[in-house]
Amino acid sequence: MNRLPTVSHPAVDFLLTFLQARVRRARSEDLSRGASAVEWVIISAVVVTVVGVVAVIINGALKGKATDVGNCIQSTTDSKTC
């Protein structure tokens, strides 16, 4: 069943054995583990999107208020305040 060529270097032999074991274990395990990972990726993407939208909204509000305050400060005189 070993289709890979045999190499005489111990590090390469270890790597091949390790990878074959990982592939064998991945093929034999329950497939729902991958579905769970996909669910976490989708949930994370939704959370990142929501945080991004909120950040854009807050940034726009802060820029608008900063502009209003700057305009108010520029238009003040000795008798007129904001």
Side-chain angles (χ1 to χ4, degrees), residues 3-64:
R3 289 179 252 156
L4 298 173
T6 304
V7 179
S8 61
H9 195 277
V12 175
D13 290 339
F14 172 77
L15 180 63
L16 290 175
T17 305
F18 176 75
L19 291 175
Q20 287 172 350
R22 294 283 295 169
V23 168
R24 194 176 310 117
R25 187 171 52 164
R27 288 181 179 169
S28 67
E29 287 187 5
D30 187 21
L31 297 177
S32 65
R33 188 172 116 191
S36 178
V38 171
E39 290 170 0
W40 276 108
V41 168
I42 292 171
I43 291 169
S44 299
V46 169
V47 168
V48 167
T49 302
V50 168
V51 168
V53 168
V54 169
V56 167
I57 291 170
I58 290 174
N59 191 22
L62 289 175
K63 281 185 180 181

